[in-house]
Amino acid sequence: SKAGDEHIPPNALTWLRLAATHAILPRGYPHTVRSTYPAYVAWTALGLFTGRIQSVLATQAMLFTIGLGQGAIPMAAAIQWVLKDGIGNAAAIAYAAAVNTKFDE
């Protein structure tokens, strides 16, 4: 085995879980945060998720109101909006995860 291979997880799902954990949780978790941190994160995530749902429903209602009617067009627009924002948010998280530890040095 090559040097450094011992740190590669055995499968992609494990790697993805570890990468997400590293990107989202603070360094040294759970020892570097208060015991209330998981509840804070859960409530914040719930608020962000419900806010995104509200945004989709509002966009869909707006498209209905301006006369696009029911069907595929408003739903496609709402899905496109969510995907656009979702990709932007994912990129922001990836960037922040890449540079966040640089401030500690």
Side-chain angles (χ1 to χ4, degrees), residues 16-47:
L16 185 61
R17 184 182 58 77
L18 290 174
T21 300
H22 175 74
I24 294 171
L25 295 176
R27 184 185 290 181
Y29 178 83
H31 307 293
T32 57
V33 297
R34 292 182 178 208
S35 61
T36 57
Y37 182 75
Y40 164 76
V41 171
W43 283 109
T44 301
L46 180 64

Side-chain angles (χ1 to χ4, degrees), residues 9-80:
N11 62 46
L13 189 58
T14 301
W15 179 86
L16 185 61
R17 184 182 58 77
L18 290 174
T21 300
H22 175 74
I24 294 171
L25 295 176
R27 184 185 290 181
Y29 178 83
H31 307 293
T32 57
V33 297
R34 292 182 178 208
S35 61
T36 57
Y37 182 75
Y40 164 76
V41 171
W43 283 109
T44 301
L46 180 64
L48 292 171
F49 182 69
T50 55
R52 182 60 54 207
I53 291 172
Q54 180 185 9
S55 174
V56 169
L57 294 174
T59 302
Q60 189 174 20
M62 178 192 66
L63 292 171
F64 287 152
T65 301
I66 63 173
L68 291 178
Q70 293 183 339
I73 293 174
M75 187 56 69
I79 290 172
Q80 181 181 7

